[in-house]
Amino acid sequence: KTDRADVFGLERRVGMALFSCVLHRTKASRVCVVDPKRERKASCRRTCRTPCVRRRGRKVVGGNRPKVETCAMASDAAPGAARAPWRRRWTVVTLCFLAFLLCNMDRVNLSVAILPMAQEFGWDSTTVGLVQSSFFWGYLLTQIAGGVWADRVGGKLVLGFGVVWWSLATCLTPMAAKMGLPALLLARAAMGVGEGVAMPSMNNLLSKWMPKKERSRSLSLVYSGMYTGSVLGLAFSPSMIKQFSWPSVFYVFGSFGAVWIYFWSRLASSNPAVDPYISAEERQYILKDADKPRDKITNVPWKTILLKKEVWAIIISHFCHNWGTFILLTWMPSYYNQVLGLDLMRSGIFSVLPWITMAVMVNVGGWIADTLVNKGVSVTIVRKTMQTIGFMGPALCLAQLSHITTVPGAVLCMMGAQGMDAFSQSGLYSNHQDIGPQYAGILLGLSNTAGVLAGVIGTAVTGMILSRGTWDAVWRVAILFYCIGTLVWNIFSTGERVFLEGE
C-alpha cells in the first residue's frame, strides 16, 4: 500500500509538473515536482536532490540523483531572451544600404525625366547628353577628397553630409531647370559632389565596424542597395511623371534624404569604440578580428601609397571593370533599340532586368566569399577568384552577343554579364580594406576616380565607334579591357595587409 501510494503521489506530481510546462509554453522548462508552481530565473544554477522532471519536446526525465542544471524559464523571466540580439554593426550596414539605395534612386530619375524635360525646354540630343554628363563633373571632384575627409573626421559625418547635399540638389533640380541650362548643369554637378563621397565614406565605416570574416557580405549588401535603388527609380519614375509631371520624381525622391538623416544622426557612429549603444561583448568581438580604431589621419603619405604595386592593381582593375560596366548600363537600351528593334518602353523594361540580377548575385557572391574565408581559405585566393569571375564572366557573355539575334538570348546574355559582374564586389571592391584599412577611404577614392574616368571615356568612345563601326567592335573593346584587368589583378593583387600600423 505504501509503495502504491508513493507511486500514485509521484504520478500526480509529474502530471502537475507537465501541466505547468504546457502553461509556460517553453521548449525547455525545469520544474520541481515538490512545488510545480515555483518559478526560477533562467540564469539560476543549483544542485537539486529532489525528484525533478525536464520537458524537451515530449521527453520526460526524472530521478533522485544529484544533478546540476540551468533552469530555462526564459519565456517568463525575459521574453525573447533565447533569440539572438540585434547587433549594432547590422544597424550601420542597414543604414549604409539605404543610403546607397537613395543614391541611385536620385541618380537614375533623370534618365526617365529627361524625355519630358527635353520636350518642354526644346533640347536637342547634344544638350541632353550635356545635362546627363554634368553629374560626373562634381562626382569626379570628391572621390579622393571624400576618402581623405572620411579618414580624418570619420565616415559618419562625411556620409551624412553627402546624403544631405545630394538630396537638396535633387529637390532643387526642377527649379534650376526652369531658371535655365547653366543653373541645371550646376545643380547636377552639385549632386555629383554629394554622391562622390558616398563610396569612400562607406568603405571607411565598414573597415571599422566589420570583422574580416563578415566583410564581403556587408559590402555586397551595401552595394546591392545601389542596384535596388536603380530598379525602384526606373520602376516608379514613369508612373509618377505620367500622373504628377516630371518635377514630382525630384521632390519625392529628394525628400527621402531627410528621413534617412534623422535615423543616421541618432543611430550611427564612426566606429564601435565610440558607439554609446554597443554591448561590451560585441565591441570585443569586432575589435578582436576587425582593424582596430586608430587616431584620425592628419597627413596622407601619398608617395607611400602610390608606390605600392597592390594599389595600382586595384586602380587599373577598377578602370577595366568600369569600362565594361558603364557601357552596359549606359548603352543597353540603345542596343535593344538599334539591334533588336525594340521600342523605347520595352527597351527600358528589359534594361531593368540586369539590375535585378546584380542585386541578387552580389549577395550570393558575398556569402560565398565569406564562407570560404571562414573555412580557412586565403583571403588572397578568395579575392582573386571572385574578381576573375567578375571579369571573365561578363567577357564570355558579351562574346556571345555577336552570334545572337533573338531578344530572349540577348537579354539572358546581358543578365549573365551583369550577374557575374556582381562578384567584383567581393573582389576588388573589398580589397581596399584588406591591404590598408587605415587608408580605406583614400584607396577607394583613388580607384573610383579611375572607374569614373573609364565611364566617361568609355561612353564617349562607344559613341565614336558606333558612328563608324558596329556593336561587335564595342563588345571587343570591352572584352579586351576585361582580359587586361584579369591579368593585372591575378599578378599584382593581394588579400594581405600592405600598409602596417604607423606607416
Side-chain angles (χ1 to χ4, degrees):
K1 292 181 179 179
T2 303
D3 292 341
R4 242 182 284 169
D6 290 341
V7 171
F8 177 78
L10 179 59
E11 290 177 348
R12 181 174 59 85
R13 290 194 292 271
V14 169
M16 293 175 64
L18 292 175
F19 179 72
S20 177
C21 288
V22 172
L23 289 179
H24 287 305
R25 295 180 182 274
T26 180
K27 292 182 180 180
S29 299
R30 184 179 182 279
V31 184
C32 183
V33 176
V34 177
D35 187 4
K37 297 181 180 180
R38 185 171 63 194
E39 297 182 359
R40 297 173 183 169
K41 297 180 179 179
S43 60
C44 96
R45 294 180 63 87
R46 63 189 298 271
T47 301
C48 179
R49 295 181 180 276
T50 58
C52 298
V53 296
R54 170 174 291 181
R55 173 177 171 269
R56 292 190 184 275
R58 296 182 177 178
K59 185 178 180 180
V60 179
V61 181
N64 292 319
R65 64 183 184 276
K67 50 188 174 182
V68 179
E69 298 177 334
T70 301
C71 300
M73 305 291 287
S75 60
D76 298 333
R83 300 174 183 174
W86 179 263
R87 304 298 184 185
R88 284 290 297 155
R89 62 187 184 276
W90 300 344
T91 299
V92 175
V93 171
T94 301
L95 289 171
C96 287
F97 167 87
L98 293 174
F100 274 55
L101 184 147
L102 296 179
C103 177
N104 265 32
M105 282 184 68
D106 291 341
R107 186 187 303 184
V108 303
N109 57 12
L110 182 66
S111 63
V112 180
I114 197 72
L115 300 176
M117 292 173 69
Q119 293 178 353
E120 179 177 337
F121 299 112
W123 296 337
D124 57 16
S125 57
T126 303
T127 305
V128 169
L130 182 64
V131 172
Q132 289 183 324
S133 66
S134 60
F135 167 85
F136 292 100
W137 305 346
Y139 195 70
L140 278 171
L141 293 176
T142 52
Q143 290 298 307
I144 299 176
V148 174
W149 295 337
D151 290 336
R152 287 185 177 179
V153 303
K156 176 185 177 179
L157 183 62
V158 177
L159 183 56
F161 159 80
V163 174
V164 171
W165 186 272
W166 86 58
S167 297
L168 286 173
T170 301
C171 291
L172 292 174
T173 297
M175 184 186 301
K178 294 177 181 179
M179 292 174 61
L181 184 60
L184 177 60
L185 297 178
L186 182 61
R188 294 298 297 177
M191 180 183 171
V193 169
E195 294 202 2
V197 304
M199 282 192 182
S201 58
M202 178 278 299
N203 215 37
N204 175 278
L205 280 164
L206 296 192
S207 71
K208 306 294 194 303
W209 272 98
M210 302 309 298
K212 291 181 180 179
K213 59 186 178 182
E214 299 179 13
R215 189 166 289 168
S216 295
R217 273 176 294 180
S218 63
L219 279 168
S220 298
L221 178 61
V222 172
Y223 280 118
S224 69
M226 297 178 63
Y227 312 137
T228 306
S230 296
V231 171
L232 294 177
L234 292 171
F236 288 106
S237 292
S239 58
M240 292 176 62
I241 292 173
K242 183 178 180 180
Q243 188 167 359
F244 303 107
S245 77
W246 65 265
S248 63
V249 296
F250 297 100
Y251 294 139
V252 174
F253 290 1
S255 64
F256 291 152
V259 179
W260 181 89
I261 195 63
Y262 172 81
F263 291 100
W264 181 254
S265 61
R266 291 174 175 266
L267 300 178
S269 297
S270 289
N271 63 71
V274 300
D275 186 81
Y277 304 112
I278 192 172
S279 66
E281 178 186 5
E282 184 181 6
R283 181 183 286 113
Q284 182 180 5
Y285 171 76
I286 293 173
L287 298 181
K288 179 179 66 175
D289 188 45
D291 307 295
K292 298 177 173 56
R294 52 189 55 81
D295 296 334
K296 302 290 191 301
I297 296 175
T298 56
N299 296 313
V300 180
W302 292 108
K303 183 177 180 181
T304 301
I305 292 174
L306 294 176
L307 286 178
K308 299 289 187 180
K309 65 180 184 300
E310 295 83 0
V311 173
W312 283 102
I314 296 177
I315 293 174
I316 295 172
S317 297
H318 205 148
F319 182 93
C320 295
H321 170 266
N322 275 28
W323 184 283
T325 299
F326 273 92
I327 288 175
L328 288 174
L329 299 182
T330 305
W331 289 95
M332 198 182 304
S334 299
Y335 171 78
Y336 289 149
N337 178 259
Q338 297 174 12
V339 178
L340 302 178
L342 300 180
D343 57 31
L344 292 178
M345 180 62 71
R346 294 179 66 195
S347 296
I349 293 174
F350 287 126
S351 296
V352 172
L353 296 178
W355 288 99
I356 298 176
T357 307
M358 293 185 78
V360 174
M361 295 305 297
V362 71
N363 290 288
V364 173
W367 178 81
I368 293 173
D370 280 344
T371 300
L372 292 174
V373 172
N374 289 335
K375 289 185 176 181
V377 180
S378 166
V379 177
T380 299
I381 294 176
V382 172
R383 297 289 180 247
K384 290 185 176 183
T385 301
M386 303 303 285
Q387 189 55 51
T388 299
I389 297 173
F391 276 144
M392 297 309 297
L396 291 174
C397 290
L398 295 182
Q400 306 307 312
L401 288 176
S402 60
H403 310 295
I404 293 177
T405 57
T406 63
V407 174
V411 172
L412 286 176
C413 282
M414 292 293 187
M415 293 176 66
Q418 293 295 78
M420 284 185 279
D421 177 276
F423 281 73
S424 298
Q425 309 300 336
S426 301
L428 75 89
Y429 281 92
S430 298
N431 197 230
H432 311 80
Q433 299 176 20
D434 296 328
I435 68 171
Q438 68 270 48
Y439 304 126
I442 297 172
L443 293 173
L444 184 60
L446 284 170
S447 70
N448 209 38
T449 298
V452 174
L453 285 173
V456 175
I457 299 172
T459 301
V461 169
T462 298
M464 296 173 60
I465 293 175
L466 291 176
S467 65
R468 301 180 180 180
T470 64
W471 280 96
D472 288 345
V474 173
W475 304 138
R476 283 197 294 269
V477 174
I479 292 170
L480 175 62
F481 276 107
Y482 280 134
C483 293
I484 294 173
T486 302
L487 290 175
V488 171
W489 183 256
N490 282 281
I491 294 174
F492 298 108
S493 69
T494 180
E496 304 303 321
R497 187 160 181 168
V498 174
F499 298 97
L500 303 178
E501 292 288 348
E503 186 176 358

